[in-house]
Amino acid sequence: MKTLTKELWVDIPKRRQIVSIHRDVEQLVAESRVRDGIILVNAMHITASVFINDNESGLHEDYEKRLEKLAPHEPISQYRHNLTGEDNGDAHLKRQIMGREVVVAVSGGKLDFGPWEQIFYGEFDGMRRKRVLVKIIGE
Amino acid sequence: MKTLTKELWVDIPKRRQIVSIHRDVEQLVAESRVRDGIILVNAMHITASVFINDNESGLHEDYEKRLEKLAPHEPISQYRHNLTGEDNGDAHLKRQIMGREVVVAVSGGKLDFGPWEQIFYGEFDGMRRKRVLVKIIGE
Amino acid sequence: MKTLTKELWVDIPKRRQIVSIHRDVEQLVAESRVRDGIILVNAMHITASVFINDNESGLHEDYEKRLEKLAPHEPISQYRHNLTGEDNGDAHLKRQIMGREVVVAVSGGKLDFGPWEQIFYGEFDGMRRKRVLVKIIGE
């Protein structure tokens, strides 16, 4: 069994931001020399999501807008979590809706994807560098 | 390490539809001869979900109805994604709520499930054949 | 390849409850002697979730409150599933929003986590003992 474990760093200058990590993950699959196996890609932060969807900026705005309806940032007093001094109660909820991680098949040494699948990191409480964990196992 | 990689095709005549893929996945587990490992089952489309829940048609209607409240199809102009000429902005959101994939334990050569767990493909922008990826790894 | 398969039992005296299973999972990782691999932790019930987030009771109340907005328990007549004699239609929806399972990297014989990541079982139709499945594969 071959394995590879790597952390990716992602710059998140804004509070909420969706950033492609697709090429970085593809490079790690190549580096791992795993031909047949699976890859786990997860946010290491609990206000963030790794997800797979379309590389289309309008859609990313739709995610932002809809998540803000489902779990609004303001008023921050609506979240008990914010009594701890945080203002990111909404971000912990948004992350649950979008998911923490993805697991993807590796076949023939590549991400085994449908035609439009792309991997993104979505952060809902950013304004600093964040980490993504990549683990590949296979042979 | 043994692996098996297969694509399943699913007929989706309607725009939104939930279809059982449970037996197909069970057959692939048997075919793989993996006794102990894990199986990944994922939608290859970004407007669709593979999920595990009850095989009960009333519940599937409840999913349809509630998802339509959380991310309505109409008016299609509410989604920037639809400015690309698509009308499936809602489907990309519904898929994120329901999830892209499931990972299931394989034990004793079978899906290691609780008593009510069943695997479904949920499509939110159908009206054609769609693909599901199955990857089994173990020994 | 090494594997470990175990079921954890969790007491859920209330209808809706979030319970930490973090230490139990850590102990199983140690017991497995897997140094490098992945671990799957999933609810065996279809009204429940295994998820990763903050060990902060205010946040857990926020989850409860927000999920109740997104998929309210009452009136139970709003869910067709409840025509079967159940009153847990909402619980099947809440579970989809929170997710069924988590997959976590195991590195150096430990859960490979960011600083705040903790594993929880969230049940939305409890009042009895429930089961969680843990599967570890690696070497």
Side-chain angles (χ1 to χ4, degrees):
Chain A
M1 204 176 94
K2 279 186 196 135
T3 71
L4 179 141
T5 309
K6 275 279 171 78
E7 292 180 8
L8 295 173
W9 285 92
V10 190
D11 276 317
I12 307 288
K14 292 199 273 181
R15 177 181 283 272
R16 293 194 285 274
Q17 203 159 350
I18 292 174
V19 176
S20 176
I21 54 172
H22 196 80
R23 295 219 168 177
D24 302 288
V25 174
E26 278 183 332
Q27 281 171 10
L28 291 177
V29 172
E31 195 182 305
S32 74
R33 295 175 184 268
V34 169
R35 300 284 305 164
D36 199 19
I38 60 172
I39 176 168
L40 164 69
V41 188
N42 68 265
M44 300 186 78
H45 305 270
I46 54 184
T47 55
S49 179
V50 170
F51 68 95
I52 288 169
N53 219 296
D54 201 359
N55 192 6
E56 201 278 295
S57 62
L59 178 66
H60 297 179
E61 287 181 45
D62 294 332
Y63 282 135
E64 152 70 13
K65 193 173 147 192
R66 180 62 46 174
L67 288 169
E68 193 54 25
K69 274 193 189 153
L70 298 177
H73 181 63
E74 305 267 2
I76 65 167
S77 62
Q78 75 191 295
Y79 300 107
R80 283 189 64 94
H81 181 58
N82 292 339
L83 294 176
T84 63
E86 300 273 6
D87 65 353
N88 64 6
D90 65 307
H92 291 276
L93 282 152
K94 286 164 171 148
R95 122 59 171 268
Q96 287 309 125
I97 294 169
M98 290 296 277
R100 167 186 177 263
E101 81 235 356
V102 296
V103 179
V104 179
V106 175
S107 307
K110 297 197 170 170
L111 294 169
D112 196 341
F113 264 158
W116 300 102
E117 292 190 282
Q118 295 261 328
I119 308 183
F120 296 92
Y121 179 78
E123 175 63 59
F124 310 110
D125 184 33
M127 298 191 277
R128 57 188 178 91
R129 294 179 80 210
K130 297 277 183 167
R131 277 185 301 160
V132 171
L133 185 65
V134 177
K135 186 93 175 187
I136 308 173
I137 66 171
E139 59 183 15
Chain B
M1 204 176 93
K2 279 186 196 135
T3 71
L4 179 140
T5 309
K6 274 280 171 76
E7 292 181 8
L8 295 173
W9 285 92
V10 190
D11 276 318
I12 307 288
K14 293 199 271 182
R15 176 181 284 271
R16 292 194 287 273
Q17 204 159 349
I18 291 173
V19 176
S20 176
I21 54 172
H22 195 80
R23 294 218 172 177
D24 302 287
V25 174
E26 278 183 331
Q27 281 170 11
L28 291 177
V29 172
E31 195 182 305
S32 75
R33 295 175 185 268
V34 169
R35 300 284 304 165
D36 199 19
I38 61 171
I39 176 169
L40 164 69
V41 188
N42 68 265
M44 300 186 77
H45 304 271
I46 54 184
T47 56
S49 179
V50 169
F51 68 94
I52 288 170
N53 219 295
D54 202 358
N55 192 6
E56 201 276 297
S57 61
L59 179 65
H60 297 179
E61 288 181 44
D62 294 332
Y63 281 135
E64 152 70 12
K65 192 173 148 194
R66 182 60 47 174
L67 288 169
E68 193 54 25
K69 273 192 190 152
L70 299 177
H73 181 63
E74 305 267 3
I76 64 167
S77 62
Q78 76 191 295
Y79 299 107
R80 284 188 63 94
H81 181 58
N82 292 340
L83 294 175
T84 63
E86 301 272 7
D87 66 353
N88 64 6
D90 66 307
H92 291 276
L93 281 153
K94 285 164 171 147
R95 128 49 175 272
Q96 287 308 126
I97 294 170
M98 291 295 277
R100 168 188 178 262
E101 80 237 356
V102 295
V103 178
V104 179
V106 175
S107 306
K110 298 196 168 172
L111 294 169
D112 197 342
F113 264 158
W116 301 102
E117 291 190 281
Q118 295 261 328
I119 308 183
F120 296 92
Y121 180 77
E123 175 64 59
F124 310 109
D125 184 33
M127 298 191 276
R128 58 188 178 90
R129 295 180 80 212
K130 297 277 183 168
R131 279 185 299 161
V132 171
L133 185 65
V134 178
K135 186 92 177 187
I136 308 173
I137 68 172
E139 59 182 16
Chain C
M1 204 177 92
K2 279 187 195 134
T3 71
L4 179 141
T5 310
K6 275 281 172 75
E7 291 180 8
L8 295 173
W9 285 93
V10 190
D11 276 318
I12 307 288
K14 293 199 271 182
R15 177 181 283 272
R16 293 194 286 273
Q17 204 159 350
I18 291 172
V19 176
S20 176
I21 53 172
H22 195 81
R23 294 218 171 178
D24 302 287
V25 174
E26 279 184 330
Q27 281 171 10
L28 291 177
V29 172
E31 195 181 304
S32 75
R33 296 175 183 269
V34 169
R35 300 284 304 165
D36 199 19
I38 60 171
I39 176 169
L40 164 69
V41 187
N42 68 265
M44 300 186 77
H45 304 270
I46 54 184
T47 55
S49 179
V50 169
F51 68 94
I52 288 169
N53 220 294
D54 200 358
N55 192 6
E56 200 277 296
S57 62
L59 179 65
H60 297 180
E61 287 180 45
D62 293 332
Y63 282 135
E64 152 70 14
K65 192 173 149 192
R66 180 61 47 175
L67 288 168
E68 194 54 26
K69 274 193 188 152
L70 298 178
H73 180 62
E74 305 268 2
I76 65 167
S77 62
Q78 75 191 297
Y79 300 106
R80 283 188 63 95
H81 181 60
N82 292 340
L83 294 175
T84 63
E86 301 273 6
D87 66 352
N88 65 5
D90 64 306
H92 291 277
L93 281 153
K94 286 164 171 148
R95 124 57 172 270
Q96 287 309 125
I97 294 169
M98 290 295 279
R100 167 187 178 262
E101 81 235 356
V102 296
V103 179
V104 179
V106 175
S107 307
K110 298 198 168 169
L111 295 168
D112 196 341
F113 265 157
W116 300 102
E117 292 190 281
Q118 295 262 327
I119 308 183
F120 296 92
Y121 180 77
E123 175 63 58
F124 310 109
D125 184 33
M127 299 190 276
R128 57 189 178 90
R129 294 179 80 211
K130 298 277 183 168
R131 278 186 300 162
V132 171
L133 185 64
V134 178
K135 186 93 175 187
I136 307 173
I137 67 172
E139 60 182 16

